[in-house]
Structures are given as C-alpha cells and as structure tokens.
Amino acid sequence: MASTTRHVLVTGGAGYIGSHTLVELLAVSQSGPIKYVPVILDNLSNSCEGNDEAARIPESVKRVGELASWDPIFHQVDLCDIDAVRQVFSKYPFHSVIHFAGLKAVGESVAKPLRYYQVNLIGAMNLMQVMDEFNVRNIIFSSSATVYGTPEKLPIPEDHPVGNCTNPYGMTKFMIEKFLMDQCKAKPDFNAVILRYFNPVGAHSSGRIGEDPRGAPNNLMPYITQVAIGRRPFLSVFGSDYDTTDGTGVRDYIHVVDLANGHVAALKLFEREKPVGCAVYNLGTGQGCSVLEMVTAMREASKVEIAYKVVDRRAGDVASVYGDPSKAAEELGFKATKTLKDMCEDSWRWQQQNPQGFNCS
Ligand code: NAD
Ligand code: UD1
C-alpha cells in the first residue's frame, strides 16, 4: 500500500499528554496509510532531562522510543525564542503542528500571572508567526474545559459561553483560542482544531510513561496515587457539601490514552478535501465522577486503603463539570473507551513502577 509521509511538530512532546500522544501517533503510522514523522520541540521546563547524558533525549521521550521502536527526533528549544523555532522549521517539511507546550499550574498562574501570559501567549504567537512564514497551515491546540468558567448547563456543549475564566492560566487558553480563530478568519486555508480537555488522568498501560508532577500534586489523581504509595499521609477532600450525589466535587475524567487518540482523530481532519477552518471539540467522556467515587475506584485498583479527610472547599472550585462529547463523536469519530477502572489501574501501575516519577536528576 502506498503511504503518505507527514512531518508533525509536537511542541511540549516531552510532557504528560504529549508523550502519550506520540505513542498513539506512532502506532497508527505502523498500521495505517499515513506515516507520521513526529518532531519534538520542548524546553524541558516541566519535563525530565534524559538520565542518559550522551543521548540528551528526555526520559519520557526515550521511553516512548522504546515502546514504539522509534528513534526520537528531539529539539530542546524554548518557544519564546523565535529564531530557535525558525531553525527547527527550516529543517523539516512540516504538514501540521500539535501544540501542547505551555505552563499549566492554575495556582501558580494566580501567583505569577506575568510569567503565564509571557510563556503561553508569546510561545503561541511565535509558533503561529513561524507557521505563517513557513506556510504550515494545520494546528491542533491543547485547550481546556477551564475556558467555560462556571458551567451554565451540564453536560457542557462547545457553544457554551467562554472566557469567564477565574485565573490567568485559563485566560491564556481563552486568548490563544481567539488568536487561532482570528487567524482562521484572516487566512482561509489555515486550519485550527481546538481541543478542550476535561480532566486527563491515567497512564500508558505499560507503566513506562505517566504524569510526573513536580512537588505536591494539585490535581486529584496524582495526589491519590501518592497517598496510596505512602508518599503523602492522606488526601484532603475539598468540600463534602456540594449539590452532588455524595457532596464531593464531580468531574469528567478522561484516560490520557483516549485523549491521545483524540489528537490522532483530529489530525485526520487535515486529510479531508474540505478545509477545516476553525473547529472546536470537547474531549471528555460525558460522565461525571465524584471525589469519593474516585477514592473508592483507586482503593479497588490498588488494594490499598486511601486515607482521606474532608476539609473546606478549595477556592474557585465548582460542584460539577462534565462535557458533552457528542460533537467529537459525530465529526471526529472519537469516543473515549477506557473506564474509571482502567484509569485507576494504569495510574497505579505507573506510580508503583516509578515511585519517584521519571526520577529527574
Ligand atoms: P506538561 O507540563 O506535562 O507538558 C508540557 C510540556 O511543555 C513540558 O514538557 C514542558 O517542558 C514544555 N514547555 C513548557 N513551556 C515551554 C516553552 N516555552 N517552550 C517549549 N516547551 C515548553 O503538561 P501536559 O499535562 O502534558 O499538558 C499539555 C497541554 O495540555 C498544556 O498546554 C496544558 O495546558 C493542556 N491541558 C492540560 C491538562 C491537564 O490536566 N494535564 C488539562 C487541560 C489542558
Ligand atoms: C483543575 C484546574 C483546571 C485544569 C484541570 C486539569 C483548578 C481550579 N482547575 O481542574 O483549570 O484544566 O485541573 O486537570 O485548579 N480535589 C480534592 N483534593 C485534592 C485535589 C482535588 O478534593 O487534593 C477535588 C477538587 O476539589 C475537584 C476534583 O478533586 O472537585 C478534581 O480536582 P483537580 O484534579 O484539581 O481538577 P479540576 O479542579 O477539575
């Protein structure tokens, strides 16, 4: 069968979602008519330098290479350095870009708003500028359900109002979405797929790659697995008086491998004859899960009792957030298939096999 080769720039490819997406992208390349050649650009600000000094490949990427029998192409470049970005573009005939790179800690963005606006916005603007210069017309962008702010209705559809974000991180996502939409309007052959993730959790089933937060995790799943492994004494459950089934917060958790496959499905849009323009999709399961349901699911997966204490609500949290996944199902043919049990078992395997994550030196 004749195959088509597509060079894809993966910014932030050494990170949590980027590394899982690489695995799925390389898997479809082996079985399908399109051979994707991923090129990774990452400044390693939130990922681990390789333990193997000679190779200078980040540890997560090295492990992706092992899982997928692939020789990684990696450039340690900061998106804020536009000339370095240009140099990468000058080396490959890119067909598309998947843009994961950016800062993502909500609390830190409140404390350091300038840093978040600088890194996320200047990084995205430089990337779009260089794409324009090199005539690269297709981009997939990692957005977040955070752009919806406090939901006015559930499940949240893509046409729900956006922009009422409660923190600078969320504002950067909203603003980058707007840059992309304006660029699509200005250039009819420019295509942008904006993916609004709900709550990504889980890890690759091999246990070789997963989420590796620095310091105490802010998010629920990594906190729970660190309690289960004994790194933290107990989970603080932020509030039990919400208007939900058991009073604790409800979210739409999606397995990171499903999420990765959502990107593969989105890339296929660029193969259609009809221009994509600017398209927005929720990536979630459409199912809500409470904090206590997650604790129970993890106890069953790990066979470890998860100590927890109910404390006050966390500022800025809302009772329930879950998305309507039907547009992605209809237009991308994408549906999350992994269960809460898969999410917990895979997170636990990753945590057990890598108690200190990638063990950054
Ligand atoms: P991550 O921090 O694991 O990965 C991001 C990667 O980008 C890291 O490897 C980091 O080193 C790199 N990076 C950061 N700034 C850079 C820069 N200026 N130049 C080059 N590389 C840079 O994060 P993730 O969880 O994989 O998230 C990926 C994307 O998805 C982010 O844009 C994030 O905001 C978005 N997102 C994540 C979640 C989530 O819960 N993980 C939810 C919604 C949206
Ligand atoms: C958070 C971010 C959101 C981001 C998302 C990515 C905030 C306000 N929002 O969403 O912008 O896109 O992560 O995954 O930070 N919980 C506890 N104890 C904990 C941690 C969390 O009870 O130690 C509860 C929370 O109150 C919430 C649920 O668990 O009900 C999920 O929390 P978390 O994993 O932080 O995700 P979000 O708050 O949904």
Side-chain angles (χ1 to χ4, degrees):
M1 190 184 1
S3 74
T4 311
T5 299
R6 301 289 194 212
H7 286 77
V8 182
L9 179 68
V10 183
T11 77
Y16 172 46
I17 303 169
S19 56
H20 288 81
T21 301
L22 288 167
V23 174
E24 300 310 310
L25 201 57
L26 292 160
V28 292
S29 289
Q30 280 173 0
S31 56
I34 301 178
K35 184 177 169 347
Y36 292 108
V37 180
V39 174
I40 302 160
L41 179 161
D42 199 300
N43 68 354
L44 304 189
S45 59
N46 197 36
S47 40
C48 205
E49 256 177 63
N51 294 323
D52 172 3
E53 273 184 30
R56 296 192 59 78
I57 299 284
E59 187 60 23
S60 56
V61 173
K62 195 183 106 198
R63 294 189 188 188
V64 171
E66 289 161 6
L67 288 171
S69 306
W70 163 70
D71 261 344
I73 310 176
F74 173 74
H75 294 272
Q76 185 170 349
V77 163
D78 191 326
L79 276 178
C80 295
D81 178 351
I82 194 165
D83 286 328
V85 178
R86 281 193 182 104
Q87 276 186 27
V88 176
F89 273 74
S90 70
K91 288 188 167 76
Y92 310 92
F94 289 123
H95 168 263
S96 39
V97 174
I98 311 182
H99 179 38
F100 293 108
L103 302 178
K104 64 164 185 178
V106 172
E108 188 188 45
S109 81
V110 175
K112 299 178 184 167
L114 293 184
R115 181 162 143 73
Y116 271 68
Y117 287 119
Q118 249 159 14
V119 173
N120 291 1
L121 300 188
I122 293 176
M125 278 196 288
N126 284 349
L127 180 65
M128 287 164 65
Q129 167 68 32
V130 179
M131 284 178 70
D132 202 40
E133 289 169 13
F134 284 80
N135 218 9
V136 179
R137 310 217 161 274
N138 303 312
I139 185 168
I140 295 173
F141 172 58
S142 302
S143 190
S144 165
T146 196
V147 299
Y148 294 122
T150 303
E152 290 174 9
K153 66 172 184 171
L154 292 167
I156 308 174
E158 285 85 351
D159 60 6
H160 182 284
V162 290
N164 197 11
C165 306
T166 53
N167 55 74
Y169 164 74
M171 281 310 291
T172 68
K173 292 292 174 197
F174 170 68
M175 288 157 108
I176 296 168
E177 286 196 2
K178 185 82 177 95
F179 296 167
L180 291 167
M181 289 173 188
D182 288 346
Q183 182 72 339
C184 286
K185 272 188 214 148
K187 308 227 161 200
D189 57 350
F190 182 79
N191 301 306
V193 179
I194 291 169
L195 300 178
R196 293 182 181 148
Y197 310 158
F198 280 76
N199 291 55
V201 295
H204 190 262
S205 59
S206 62
R208 293 294 290 156
I209 54 171
E211 189 173 10
D212 185 17
R214 300 201 171 165
N218 296 309
N219 295 120
L220 180 64
M221 182 64 109
Y223 208 103
I224 291 183
T225 56
Q226 290 194 7
V227 172
I229 201 91
R231 266 174 82 177
R232 317 233 164 238
F234 62 88
L235 168 76
S236 297
V237 174
F238 298 141
S240 61
D241 57 351
Y242 285 109
D243 183 15
T244 60
T245 44
D246 59 23
T248 65
V250 165
R251 296 291 183 273
D252 182 346
Y253 298 95
I254 176 169
H255 196 294
V256 66
V257 171
D258 277 331
L259 192 73
N261 280 311
H263 294 73
V264 176
L267 263 185
K268 290 190 186 142
L269 277 185
F270 301 139
E271 302 299 331
R272 296 188 189 164
E273 254 173 56
K274 195 168 155 253
V276 178
C278 191
V280 182
Y281 298 101
N282 285 337
L283 290 187
T285 63
Q287 305 293 319
C289 165
S290 76
V291 175
L292 291 182
E293 283 167 349
M294 187 60 97
V295 169
T296 302
M298 184 53 80
R299 186 179 59 223
E300 284 166 7
S302 65
K303 314 278 183 269
V304 174
E305 215 41 63
I306 316 285
Y308 70 85
K309 287 183 190 169
V310 174
V311 299
D312 287 346
R313 292 179 176 195
R314 181 171 66 178
D317 272 358
V318 296
S320 297
V321 181
Y322 50 94
D324 179 349
S326 56
K327 188 175 175 214
E330 282 156 27
E331 296 182 16
L332 300 179
F334 168 77
K335 206 167 180 305
T337 57
K338 293 190 179 279
T339 61
L340 196 58
K341 185 167 175 272
D342 298 326
M343 300 178 206
C344 290
E345 286 178 354
D346 291 339
S347 294
W348 179 235
R349 187 177 305 102
W350 156 252
Q351 180 70 77
Q352 268 193 309
Q353 291 184 15
N354 307 271
Q356 303 300 325
F358 288 113
N359 214 358
C360 280
S361 41

